[in-house]
Amino acid sequence: MMITRTLPPDAEDATIQAVVDHVRAELSAMADADDDPETNAGDVQIRVHALDAGARDGTTGQVYEDACVLVIGELDMEPDAPYLKPGYDPFAGVAEELEAIVRRDPAAAAALDSAAAKNRGKHVRRQ
Amino acid sequence: MSAVSDCLFFAAVFQEFGVPVEFEPGWEIRGNGQTAAYQGLILHHTAIPASYENPGPGTRVLRDGRPDLDGPLCQMQGKFNGAVRFIAAHPANHAGASGGRSMGPLPTTNAFNRLVMGLEMDYAGNAPMSPEQYKIAKVAAIATKRLWGTVERARLHFETSIEGKWDAGWKPGTPIDANAWRANALALEAAGGDGDTMSAAGEALIIEQNKQILNQLTGSREVNQFPGWPHQRFGASVDTPKAFTLVDYIRGLDAKLMSNFDLSNRPGDLVPDDAVGHVLTLHALLLRILDEGLGGGPVIVELTPEQASALDTHVAAILTSRLDELAAELGTTEDKLVRALQRLVLTPSLKALPGAKV
């Protein structure tokens, strides 16, 4: 997983550090089923670069039009959350009148049905 | 409430105010791996140019992310044509580090994305969003108020970011007025949607008319779709572009007017560099001729108020009808201008005055 943030080239050290902390916590939480910002924090790789206008970052290949401080965070883990796991019911606890908004949309309803058929035994849709 | 409930609550409010909603397949199980505890809304722009013809160019990026930032990148996409597309119910990578200049009641935290829904308006950001998108923004702020108690929980990314972000913007580097956005949202809700509630057909008609006006003013990508007013064109040639919109016309008119005057010899106290300024300059020169004559004493001995008024009328009429001829006669010096004014404008005007002594 990767999160990249850009800051102005004259960003103060404290601001850069705050963004680094944010990136580390976000990635840790993304990979933890309980969203703990600390659990995986030690495994997050952080790099900070100062880029000139129009520079291309070697890792991502992304070109940045404006000069910036680039904060790149990487974590070699997969996202983990209940809704990403088999058996999750996205409409559990959702009021019927709200779910009906999706059901009234033919395209959205068809997509839900298709996903349910494709993931039968994985994602369970409440009927 | 769950993340899916929160999104559908927003969808219900959008529909209440006549905003169409769409759902990107898989939206209900899409997220960055965090679990939502939403308590506010952040308004962004995608920085991707959009149009009525291409109202949602950012959908794929918002869903899948960029090479340097994993998706999803928002919960909702505000399309240029006024529809809202739900991209992901669960947390997305959009808010960045919080703690910016105006957080309102939102917290400063390292884990901001799970606390705020992201509404990405799909437009360049260096020009205003479409009116339909601004309506989306207002209705989203209303939904924020209804779900979390106060409209102050709807913030611009510009307000919460410590990273120098300026979205949602309306010109380069400049965000929209956040307080006006929230106030306009409250006004819309207080009015019960008045002014925004009309039939779908009526709304479609207004949108279509807006598109027509915009394209007529600025041109269209489709050749000859908006030809403007060719019969108004001066000096049309085979090289003249076929598309000739109002903007083209005004630009051409301005160039033609400017070419008629020698800017280097204008009186220094009449500086406006536009058509009005030039008319004022001409008027001043005429007054100077009337007051001082052309080196041989005053030209006019006396004029009654009626004669003065008639003179003004004649001068204006001749200036209008003989602008081309006048321009051809004008040289590069004030003397030439004065002589041309006397021959082409002043003398015929004076001769037309009953009883004037010349």
Side-chain angles (χ1 to χ4, degrees):
Chain A
M1 295 187 293
M2 176 182 288
I3 288 181
T4 301
R5 307 302 303 177
T6 58
L7 295 92
D10 59 351
E12 296 178 357
D13 288 346
T15 303
I16 295 172
Q17 187 58 50
V19 173
V20 168
D21 293 343
H22 154 76
V23 168
R24 193 185 301 280
E26 287 276 352
L27 284 167
S28 173
M30 289 160 62
D32 183 72
D34 297 321
D35 289 351
D36 188 333
E38 303 290 339
T39 302
N40 306 300
D43 295 323
V44 175
Q45 302 294 314
I46 297 283
R47 288 177 291 125
V48 179
H49 300 303
L51 295 183
D52 294 328
R56 180 187 299 274
D57 176 59
T59 304
T60 64
Q62 191 82 357
V63 175
Y64 295 88
E65 283 187 16
D66 301 320
C68 65
V69 174
L70 185 65
V71 176
I72 303 175
E74 289 182 276
L75 177 59
D76 190 17
M77 297 179 74
E78 293 299 315
D80 191 2
Y83 55 84
L84 298 174
K85 294 176 178 172
Y88 173 74
D89 178 1
F91 293 99
V94 176
E96 285 185 9
E97 66 269 23
L98 292 180
E99 184 175 347
I101 293 172
V102 187
R103 298 290 171 201
R104 281 196 298 267
D105 183 320
L112 288 179
D113 292 340
S114 171
K118 197 179 298 180
N119 298 312
R120 190 165 288 122
K122 297 180 181 178
H123 296 102
V124 179
R125 178 168 55 83
R126 183 166 60 91
Q127 298 298 319
Chain B
M1 291 176 73
S2 69
V4 172
S5 284
D6 288 345
C7 286
L8 291 177
F9 182 91
F10 268 68
V13 179
F14 282 131
Q15 290 187 336
E16 176 187 335
F17 284 86
V19 174
V21 296
E22 306 167 354
F23 297 91
E24 180 71 7
W27 71 277
E28 75 279 5
I29 55 169
R30 186 172 291 118
N32 68 3
Q34 297 176 339
T35 299
Y38 298 138
Q39 54 182 261
L41 173 85
I42 305 298
L43 187 66
H44 304 265
H45 65 235
T46 60
I48 301 173
S51 64
Y52 290 107
E53 292 78 17
N54 186 20
T59 303
R60 184 186 58 77
V61 169
L62 295 175
R63 182 191 64 210
D64 299 336
R66 310 189 307 250
D68 63 338
L69 184 61
D70 291 336
L73 303 184
C74 68
Q75 279 69 44
M76 296 169 285
Q77 172 193 27
K79 298 170 72 171
F80 202 83
N81 61 0
V84 170
R85 191 169 187 85
F86 284 84
I87 301 293
H90 304 279
N93 297 322
H94 65 92
S98 69
R101 70 197 72 209
S102 178
M103 293 295 293
L106 298 179
T108 297
T109 169
N110 276 338
F112 199 38
N113 281 322
R114 64 189 295 267
L115 302 182
V116 284
M117 296 174 70
L119 171 54
E120 285 276 1
M121 290 299 182
D122 215 349
Y123 73 112
N126 55 14
M129 65 181 80
S130 71
E132 294 84 357
Q133 287 177 307
Y134 193 60
K135 179 179 176 182
I136 291 173
K138 288 188 291 186
V139 177
I142 293 171
T144 300
K145 177 198 164 202
R146 292 183 182 178
L147 189 54
W148 297 303
T150 171
V151 75
E152 293 298 318
R153 290 185 178 274
R155 316 299 290 183
L156 299 185
H157 195 202
F158 165 76
E159 296 180 284
T160 63
S161 171
I162 62 170
E163 301 165 350
K165 308 302 183 197
W166 54 275
D167 53 332
W170 68 280
K171 66 180 184 178
T174 307
I176 65 170
D177 186 326
N179 290 325
W181 163 45
R182 289 184 284 263
N184 289 336
L186 293 176
L188 175 61
E189 186 186 34
D194 287 348
D196 281 72
T197 53
M198 61 173 67
S199 68
E203 195 156 342
L205 178 63
I206 295 294
I207 291 172
E208 180 60 28
Q209 287 174 338
N210 285 343
K211 288 164 58 180
Q212 294 275 339
I213 292 169
L214 178 67
N215 285 330
Q216 192 67 270
L217 285 170
T218 61
S220 169
R221 287 185 299 185
E222 296 181 36
V223 176
N224 283 338
Q225 184 179 1
F226 295 99
W229 298 270
H231 63 282
Q232 299 270 19
R233 241 181 289 177
F234 296 100
S237 72
V238 293
D239 299 326
T240 307
K242 290 181 179 177
F244 199 73
T245 64
L246 186 57
V247 170
D248 299 327
Y249 179 69
I250 292 174
R251 188 179 292 126
L253 187 62
D254 182 60
K256 184 175 178 63
L257 278 172
M258 298 292 271
S259 71
N260 288 335
F261 301 100
D262 172 20
L263 303 182
S264 63
N265 281 317
R266 282 189 307 162
D269 54 340
L270 293 166
V271 294
D273 195 13
D274 54 21
V276 174
H278 293 305
V279 170
L280 290 173
T281 302
L282 280 174
H283 192 239
L285 289 170
L286 283 170
L287 289 177
R288 188 176 299 170
I289 293 169
L290 293 174
D291 288 345
E292 303 171 4
L294 294 169
V299 176
I300 305 297
V301 176
E302 56 185 90
L303 281 179
T304 65
E306 291 76 18
Q307 287 172 332
S309 175
L311 177 61
D312 280 348
T313 301
H314 280 289
V315 168
I318 291 174
L319 276 175
T320 303
S321 65
R322 304 186 68 180
L323 189 59
D324 283 346
E325 188 180 350
L326 179 63
E329 292 288 334
L330 294 181
T332 56
T333 67
E334 188 173 321
D335 284 344
K336 286 185 178 180
L337 175 61
V338 169
R339 284 197 294 275
L341 284 171
Q342 183 191 23
R343 185 167 62 81
L344 294 171
V345 181
L346 188 58
T347 300
S349 298
L350 292 174
K351 285 179 179 176
L353 288 178
K357 297 177 181 178
V358 180

